[in-house]
């Protein structure tokens, strides 16, 4: 493709990469023009468009441009600049649910993998159709990854746990916090939820044709921003880290991690890795819990997971129960 026919998103990501490499320094208009193979006027037009997304550039006479501000909200251009190898990123200011949009795009035949990222969701969903609080401008991330794995359905049992453990590892390393996984799909700090995962699949003829992995993560949400019903049980990564966190840098890091974890998962089931990581991040380890499954309620002490990711519960009567799905409540200790 001739350079001038490149999509704007790609050109702008390449320009931003030059600014990120220069840090506080200047990049000359000529250098920018050379990198993207466009005229200086065309470069200026792209910088101007990026300003509408929340970037600010200072023009310094005969020295070029300096990046002086980045958007606080989700910026597809910045994420692309930070993750050059990311698959196509579909960005929407608002959508019903990024999982639903990813599903629609798959049904319409869009090539996978791709990512759907939204600044807000009007019908963000959790398990059992519960509402996932998804306003714009709140410092939360809402995104879904779409894949066509072509694996047998039983290979997917460990998928959400594997993703959750990878996210716990990543967030622990990048923020110095100790996030925990609440079986099967919640990211927590103690009693407070920082994120949730929603994995949905379409299975045809014993093969997983389409897979959507949705993630909602509260990155920079201020404590005062929560609605009253969620406030006592929600938190954000920045609150836990005790310092501001950049939404786009966090998004870029987690996109890289999810893609790497997916590639690893597709090659072989990561049973040993999960057993290891489980010891570090299991919120429920040895805790008294109640599991609700349909109309049945069971109480007991957790005994970890088996090699298919099912939760093991030891009852007071000495029986060990195994749950492939269910809703867990921690009992006060
Ligand atoms: P929990 O264990 O917290 O009761 P759950 O796993 O049973 O949750 P889910 O469907 O996983 O239920 O999650 C939806 C719940 O998460 C909602 O009912 C609400 O309480 C909470 N919630 C909704 N949005 C957010 C958010 N952005 N951050 C943290 N918690 C949220
Ligand atoms: C849960 O806690 O039950 C899972 C919550 C998952 C929320 C994310 S936000 C992005 C994606 N789109 C949705 O509608 N849900 C997931």
């Amino acid at each position: 493709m001739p350079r001038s026919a490149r999509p704007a998103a790609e050109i702008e990501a390449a320009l931003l990469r030059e600014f990120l490499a220069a840090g506080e320094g200047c990049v000359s208009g000529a250098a920018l023009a050379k990198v993207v193979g466009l005229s200086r006027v065309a470069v200026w037009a792209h910088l101007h468009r990026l300003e509408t997304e929340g970037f600010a550039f200072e023009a310094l006479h005969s020295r070029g441009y300096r990046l002086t501000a980045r958007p606080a909200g989700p910026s597809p251009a910045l994420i692309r600049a930070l993750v050059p190898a990311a698959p196509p990123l579909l960005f929407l200011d608002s959508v019903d649910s990024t999982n639903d949009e990813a599903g629609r795009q798959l049904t319409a035949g869009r090539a996978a993998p791709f990512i759907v990222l939204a600044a807000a969701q009007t019908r963000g969903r959790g398990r059992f159709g519960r509402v996932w609080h998804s306003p714009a401008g709140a410092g939360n991330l809402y995104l879904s990854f779409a894949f066509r794995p072509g694996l047998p359905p039983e290979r997917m049992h460990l998928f959400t746990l594997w993703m959750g453990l990878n996210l716990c590892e990543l967030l622990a390393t990048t923020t110095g916090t100790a996030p925990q996984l609440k079986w099967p799909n919640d990211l927590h700090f103690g009693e407070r939820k920082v994120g949730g995962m929603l994995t949905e699949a379409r299975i045809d003829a014993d093969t997983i044709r389409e897979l959507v992995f949705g993630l909602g993560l509260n990155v920079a949400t201020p404590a005062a921003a929560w609605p009253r019903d969620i406030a006592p049980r929600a938190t954000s990564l920045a609150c836990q880290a005790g310092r501001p966190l950049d939404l786009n840098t966090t998004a870029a890091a987690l996109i890289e991690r999810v893609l790497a974890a997916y590639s690893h998962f597709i090659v072989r089931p990561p049973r040993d890795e999960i057993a290891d990581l489980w010891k570090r991040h299991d919120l429920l380890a040895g805790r008294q819990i109640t599991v609700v499954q349909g109309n049945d309620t069971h109480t007991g002490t957790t005994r970890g997971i088996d090699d298919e990711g099912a939760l093991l519960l030891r009852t007071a009567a000495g029986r060990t129960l195994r749950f492939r799905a269910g809703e867990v409540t921690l009992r006060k200790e």
Side-chain angles (χ1 to χ4, degrees):
M1 174 177 2
R3 277 188 143 186
S4 57
R6 284 161 75 196
E10 218 178 277
I11 294 169
E12 290 168 9
L15 293 173
L16 287 173
R17 236 169 267 140
E18 295 302 303
F19 284 104
L20 295 177
E24 310 259 295
C26 255
V27 189
S28 78
L32 290 171
K34 191 165 173 216
V35 163
V36 291
L38 296 174
S39 70
R40 286 201 212 185
V41 174
V43 165
W44 180 85
H46 281 290
L47 297 187
H48 197 56
R49 205 214 58 80
L50 284 168
E51 284 178 338
T52 65
E53 239 185 65
F55 293 92
F57 303 94
E58 186 183 12
L60 295 156
H61 184 63
S62 75
R63 288 175 53 207
Y65 302 93
R66 208 163 66 84
L67 178 64
T68 54
R70 297 165 161 212
S75 160
L78 185 50
I79 294 172
R80 287 205 72 80
L82 292 165
V83 199
L89 182 65
L90 187 68
F91 177 73
L92 298 153
D93 283 326
S94 179
V95 70
D96 48 359
S97 149
T98 55
N99 267 37
D100 290 345
E101 180 61 26
R104 287 190 290 265
Q105 296 281 339
L106 283 167
T107 304
R110 191 182 186 114
F114 62 88
I115 299 169
V116 180
L117 172 72
Q121 298 182 115
T122 53
R123 295 185 61 189
R125 300 183 282 114
R127 286 194 308 157
F128 314 115
R130 290 195 185 127
V131 172
W132 188 255
H133 180 63
S134 312
N140 306 340
L141 278 176
Y142 321 110
L143 73 169
S144 299
F145 297 79
F147 302 106
R148 289 199 171 86
L151 289 175
E154 59 276 13
R155 274 289 312 277
M156 297 315 291
H157 290 152
L158 295 166
F159 183 78
T160 309
L161 295 181
W162 171 240
M163 287 297 170
L165 291 169
N166 269 276
L167 293 170
C168 284
E169 278 290 284
L170 170 77
L171 301 177
T173 327
T174 53
T175 65
T177 59
Q180 293 161 300
L181 186 59
K182 181 181 171 206
W183 182 95
N185 70 320
D186 291 340
L187 301 170
H188 271 241
F189 286 93
E191 307 281 292
R192 288 179 183 267
K193 185 140 116 184
V194 72
M197 300 172 285
L198 186 64
T199 305
E200 297 178 305
R202 175 179 295 167
I203 299 165
D204 283 341
D206 263 359
T207 299
I208 300 185
R209 298 268 172 232
E210 299 173 354
L211 183 76
V212 174
F213 172 67
L215 173 65
L217 186 68
N218 308 323
V219 176
T221 329
W226 296 111
R228 199 185 301 182
D229 55 330
I230 302 181
R233 299 194 298 128
T235 189
S236 74
L237 210 50
C239 280
Q240 296 294 323
R243 64 182 166 89
L245 292 176
D246 183 71
L247 198 70
N248 290 300
T249 312
T250 308
L254 67 85
I255 286 172
E256 274 189 321
R257 184 73 182 223
V258 166
L259 296 171
Y262 177 80
S263 303
H264 186 138
F265 189 89
I266 285 301
V267 176
R268 64 176 177 81
R271 289 213 169 81
D272 295 344
E273 294 92 327
I274 288 179
D276 249 18
L277 293 172
W278 193 252
K279 291 182 208 132
R280 282 216 279 282
H281 299 296
D282 176 17
L283 172 73
L284 305 177
R287 300 278 302 265
Q288 280 275 314
I289 62 164
T290 298
V291 184
V292 178
Q293 201 181 34
N295 293 327
D296 300 329
T297 299
H298 305 272
T299 296
T301 308
T302 59
R303 287 283 183 269
I305 49 171
D306 68 10
D307 65 2
E308 289 190 341
L311 183 70
L312 303 174
L313 185 77
R314 184 88 169 158
T315 66
R319 285 176 64 210
T320 298
L321 306 178
R322 179 175 182 274
F323 297 94
R324 284 286 276 277
E327 195 178 347
V328 171
T329 314
L330 278 162
R331 309 221 13 220
K332 293 267 173 275
E333 289 180 347

